[in-house]
């Protein structure tokens, strides 16, 4: 019994020792993958690994997982790492040095964020004052002094003095009507005196800016602006036909109804004995030949100047009004294709209803009988159409008119870059007449 007890006690002691040893090993294994342990190792087999593969490798060998936005991170970037067992924190530092990423460990999750590029320095504002004068040394009042890149601005007083607080490395902009705009770096100075130089403009420069976009309330002359988008939707051959009914005081007439025939444009009636056509300005180029060669889809803006004060810039040629037309031009960016088309059927308006031969003879004889009631002289009496006479039975209006098709196709492409802008368009228009 003693031996048996001794063996049993020995066996029990060995089993307890093995259990404690196994528990320690498991605890050590768990500590190896514990997120709070700084001694986590990861085995690296290749010296160049994609960032995405490194994240997957760490997640497989540890209990950590990564959280990131795929749109902000280049997962295919190659990372150089030493091979063999490496500390996780060393691997993360190497990735930070080779990329613009930051790692933040929260429990068992590693947050991956791009490094912030908005590293703004704290700027210290300093008081800056000074005097603004012209070339003769007289102070200028009302000069605008503004800080470049901000909304900070002041104006000089009657003595030309100004004062404001700006960063020591800021740039001040001095602007005044009739004078050249100037920029001046502060460079830590607190007193700045500046001389404004007169900006000279000759007559040609004034003419060039004469009809830049302005508010309609600021215009004293009679000016009509036509919506080019509405004009492009009209089923017409050219832009001069599309102007009809779009601007008050502008009368558009067509000599005939023949398809493609030109039109006559009159601005406020007939003005001279010889030539009554208005002056057309197309992209700054004057012409008196009309604009029937322009497609309505190629027009950007249309402005009609109708009185003498509006058209005075163009001299005697503008005595019958001016039509300013700006065509579409290229724009920076990728090529943009635009296709528009329409089709339809043309027919005549309301016309008298024609009678057949039988009804015509009946009504004619009825009219003859009514006319002969008060006439006694047989020579003056009208004669009716006798029955049995062979007469044609033709509807001549149907023979003259027909329904005619009309179609228009417009294809354009526009685009460009910093050096070249392009706009290319093609137009196919076909209109058949309603008269045979």
């Amino acid at each position: 019994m003693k031996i048996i007890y001794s063996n049993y006690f020995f066996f029990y002691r060995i089993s307890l020792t093995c259990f404690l040893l196994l528990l320690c090993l498991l605890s050590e294994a768990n500590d190896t993958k514990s997120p709070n342990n700084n001694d986590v190792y990861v085995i690296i087999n290749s010296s160049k690994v994609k960032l995405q593969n490194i994240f997957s490798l760490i997640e497989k060998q540890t209990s950590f997982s990564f959280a990131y936005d795929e749109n902000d991170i280049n997962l295919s970037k190659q990372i150089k790492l030493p091979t063999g067992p490496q500390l996780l924190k060393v691997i993360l530092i190497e990735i930070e040095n080779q990329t613009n990423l930051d790692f933040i460990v929260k429990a068992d999750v590693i947050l991956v964020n791009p490094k912030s590029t908005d590293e703004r320095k704290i700027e210290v504002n300093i008081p800056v004052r000074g005097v603004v004068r012209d070339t003769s040394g007289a102070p200028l009042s009302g000069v605008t002094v503004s800080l470049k890149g901000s909304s900070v601005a002041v104006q000089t007083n009657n003595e030309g003095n100004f004062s404001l607080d700006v960063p020591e490395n800021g740039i001040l902009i001095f602007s005044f009507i009739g004078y050249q705009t100037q920029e001046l770096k502060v460079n830590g100075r607190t007193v700045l005196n500046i001389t404004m130089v007169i900006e000279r403009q000759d007559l040609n420069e004034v003419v060039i800016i004469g009809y830049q976009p302005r508010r309609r309330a600021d215009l004293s002359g009679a000016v009509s602006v036509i919506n080019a988008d509405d004009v492009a939707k009209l089923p017409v051959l050219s832009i001069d036909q599309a102007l009809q009914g779009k601007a008050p005081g502008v009368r558009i007439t067509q000599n005939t109804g023949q398809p493609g025939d030109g039109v006559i444009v009159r601005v406020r009636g007939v003005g001279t004995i010889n030539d009554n056509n208005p002056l057309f300005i197309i992209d700054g180029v004057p012409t008196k030949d009309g604009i029937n060669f322009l497609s309505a889809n190629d027009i950007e803006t249309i402005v009609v100047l109708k009185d003498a004060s509006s058209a005075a810039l163009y001299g005697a040629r503008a005595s019958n009004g001016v039509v300013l037309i700006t065509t579409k031009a290229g724009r920076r960016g990728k090529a943009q294709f635009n296709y528009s088309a329409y089709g339809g059927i043309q027919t005549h308006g309301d016309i008298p209803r024609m009678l057949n031969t039988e009804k015509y003879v009946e009504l004619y004889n009825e009219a003859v009988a009514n006319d002969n009631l008060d006439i006694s002289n047989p020579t003056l009496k009208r004669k009716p159409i006798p029955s049995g006479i062979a007469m044609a039975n033709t509807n001549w209006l149907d023979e003259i008119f027909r329904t005619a098709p009309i179609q228009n196709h417009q294809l354009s492409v526009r685009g460009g870059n910093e050096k070249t802008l392009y706009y290319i368009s093609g137009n196919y228009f076909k209109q058949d007449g309603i008269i045979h």
Side-chain angles (χ1 to χ4, degrees):
M1 294 295 294
K2 185 176 182 181
I3 296 175
I4 295 175
Y5 176 77
S6 177
N7 291 339
Y8 177 78
F9 179 78
F10 179 76
F11 175 78
Y12 174 78
R13 186 173 58 183
I14 294 176
S15 300
L16 181 60
T17 302
C18 292
F19 176 77
L20 294 176
L21 180 60
L22 180 61
L23 184 62
C24 291
L25 292 175
L26 290 176
S27 176
E28 183 178 356
N30 289 334
D31 289 340
T32 303
K33 293 188 177 182
S34 174
N36 298 324
N37 195 334
N38 293 328
D39 297 331
V40 177
Y41 282 87
V42 178
I43 299 176
I44 306 298
N45 296 323
S46 177
S47 60
K48 291 184 178 180
V49 189
K50 290 184 178 179
L51 185 60
Q52 185 177 10
N53 296 336
I54 296 176
F55 290 167
S56 300
L57 189 64
I58 294 175
E59 290 177 344
K60 290 180 180 179
Q61 298 187 21
T62 69
S63 60
F64 288 98
S65 60
F66 290 87
Y68 52 84
D69 187 352
E70 294 181 353
N71 297 325
D72 297 336
I73 299 175
N74 182 12
L75 296 174
S76 60
K77 182 176 178 57
Q78 294 282 348
I79 305 297
K80 296 181 180 180
L81 295 174
T83 57
Q86 303 293 331
L87 284 173
L88 175 59
K89 60 182 181 181
V90 175
I91 296 176
L92 297 180
I93 293 174
E94 286 293 334
I95 297 176
E96 288 182 354
N97 294 334
Q98 300 180 38
T99 62
N100 62 337
L101 301 178
D102 282 332
F103 297 96
I104 301 176
V105 180
K106 299 288 186 180
D108 59 347
V109 177
I110 301 177
L111 302 177
V112 185
N113 296 312
K115 293 181 181 179
S116 176
T117 57
D118 188 14
E119 299 178 353
R120 300 179 179 177
K121 297 181 180 179
I122 300 177
E123 296 181 342
V124 179
N125 291 340
I126 59 175
V128 177
R129 58 183 176 85
V131 181
V132 180
R133 296 184 174 88
D134 59 14
T135 53
S136 64
L140 291 176
S141 62
V143 178
T144 300
V145 184
S146 60
L147 177 62
K148 188 174 184 179
S150 72
S151 59
V152 178
V154 296
Q155 286 188 334
T156 58
N157 57 17
N158 293 333
E159 288 77 25
N161 297 320
F162 70 92
S163 177
L164 74 168
D165 293 338
V166 297
E168 57 183 4
N169 293 325
I171 299 176
L172 294 180
I173 301 176
F174 298 82
S175 59
F176 192 54
I177 297 176
Y179 291 82
Q180 296 179 3
T181 300
Q182 300 186 32
E183 294 184 1
L184 188 63
K185 294 183 179 180
V186 177
N187 291 335
R189 294 175 291 178
T190 58
V191 178
L192 295 175
N193 296 323
I194 187 170
T195 301
M196 302 289 290
V197 180
I198 296 177
E199 183 177 14
R200 300 186 181 276
Q201 294 181 341
D202 56 23
L203 184 59
N204 291 332
E205 293 173 343
V206 176
V207 173
I208 290 175
I209 65 173
Y211 280 101
Q212 291 295 328
R214 295 183 182 177
R215 295 187 307 165
R216 297 189 65 179
D218 296 337
L219 296 175
S220 60
V223 178
S224 295
V225 180
I226 301 172
N227 191 339
D229 294 335
D230 295 339
V231 169
K233 298 176 183 178
L234 298 176
V236 293
L237 174 61
S238 58
I239 189 62
D240 50 4
Q241 296 176 351
L243 292 176
Q244 189 170 12
K246 293 299 181 180
V250 180
R251 183 167 57 92
I252 308 293
T253 58
Q254 192 170 8
N255 293 329
T256 67
Q258 181 180 356
D261 192 18
V263 300
I264 299 175
V265 181
R266 294 292 180 264
V267 179
R268 289 190 172 179
V270 178
T272 61
I273 298 176
N274 297 321
D275 187 7
N276 295 288
N277 295 323
L279 176 65
F280 296 96
I281 306 294
I282 304 174
D283 292 333
V285 179
T287 176
K288 297 285 286 187
D289 298 332
I291 52 176
N292 53 4
F293 62 91
L294 287 177
S295 172
N297 292 277
D298 293 334
I299 303 301
E300 188 76 31
T301 60
I302 304 175
V303 179
V304 181
L305 312 179
K306 292 177 287 187
D307 62 355
S309 62
S310 301
L313 290 177
Y314 301 99
R317 296 179 300 172
S319 59
N320 297 311
V322 180
V323 180
L324 299 174
I325 297 177
T326 303
T327 60
K328 294 180 180 178
R331 294 179 180 174
R332 293 182 181 178
K334 296 182 179 179
Q336 297 180 353
F337 291 86
N338 181 45
Y339 173 75
S340 61
Y342 64 80
I345 298 296
Q346 305 168 99
T347 185
H348 53 71
D350 294 334
I351 56 177
R353 184 179 178 182
M354 301 297 292
L355 299 175
N356 57 21
T357 302
E358 180 182 356
K359 292 293 183 180
Y360 174 77
V361 172
E362 179 182 349
L363 291 177
Y364 181 85
N365 290 339
E366 183 179 345
V368 169
N370 293 332
D371 291 342
N372 293 338
L373 289 177
D374 298 331
I375 299 176
S376 58
N377 188 350
T379 306
L380 300 177
K381 289 185 176 183
R382 298 175 59 186
K383 296 181 180 181
I385 300 176
S387 60
I389 296 179
M391 299 179 64
N393 188 20
T394 304
N395 188 336
W396 293 109
L397 291 182
D398 288 344
E399 295 298 322
I400 294 174
F401 295 105
R402 65 176 180 178
T403 56
I406 181 175
Q407 60 177 320
N408 181 65
H409 302 272
Q410 168 79 17
L411 177 63
S412 63
V413 56
R414 70 194 308 180
N417 50 35
E418 296 180 355
K419 296 182 179 179
T420 304
L421 301 177
Y422 60 87
Y423 177 84
I424 304 173
S425 67
N427 178 262
Y428 174 78
F429 181 85
K430 183 178 181 182
Q431 179 184 17
D432 295 335
I434 62 174
I435 297 179
H436 283 284

